[in-house]
Amino acid sequence: QVHLVESGGGLVQAGGSLRLSCASSGIAFRINDMAWYRQAPGKQRELVADITPTGNTNYQDSVKGRFTISRDNAKNTVYLQMNGLKVEDTAVYYCNFRVVGLNSENYESWGGGTQVTVSS
């Protein structure tokens, strides 16, 4: 099983920047897409950005031009650079890996989340 741990969250003023990291441990046959999701209080979890193994990216419209997702395949790590943060970006951010296990089973692994709070 692959286990994920996020870091880099915190409190920042509007307009500021944060960089989230998601480190993995465990063994897998392959890690396919990596993604960042977020969940604000009282709202459903939503996809922020994802990235394929070859580096193709996809972003939620509200973060385009402000957030950048990247990955290090050698370290099985994914990052989210967040610039121009807005109050509405406040949420718990989760990383997500789509994994092919050693027995060719497909599953998703989630981190425990990191809080991002943007103050006005």
Side-chain angles (χ1 to χ4, degrees):
Q1 284 281 329
V2 170
H3 299 281
L4 306 179
V5 177
E6 301 94 341
S7 61
L11 173 64
V12 64
Q13 286 190 327
S17 298
L18 285 173
R19 186 181 192 230
L20 305 184
S21 299
C22 175
S24 65
S25 61
I27 299 173
F29 177 72
R30 185 174 64 245
I31 296 176
N32 290 326
D33 291 2
M34 298 178 178
W36 286 97
Y37 287 76
R38 67 186 180 187
Q39 187 167 19
K43 295 188 177 181
Q44 289 190 329
R45 192 172 297 189
E46 61 181 7
L47 176 67
V48 176
D50 58 22
I51 184 167
T52 68
T54 55
N56 293 320
T57 58
N58 173 57
Y59 294 93
Q60 181 191 110
D61 284 347
S62 68
V63 307
K64 284 180 181 177
R66 300 188 297 122
F67 291 10
T68 303
I69 188 170
S70 60
R71 63 189 283 169
D72 184 330
N73 290 329
K75 296 180 179 179
N76 287 333
T77 300
V78 66
Y79 305 96
L80 186 68
Q81 178 66 44
M82 305 186 293
N83 299 327
L85 282 160
K86 302 177 180 181
V87 171
E88 51 264 41
D89 295 318
T90 296
V92 178
Y93 284 70
Y94 300 89
C95 59
N96 167 278
F97 284 13
R98 288 142 208 175
V99 182
V100 179
L102 294 179
N103 296 315
S104 300
E105 73 278 20
N106 293 292
Y107 66 92
E108 292 191 38
S109 184
W110 290 89
T114 185
Q115 177 71 46
V116 171
T117 303
V118 184
S119 63
S120 59

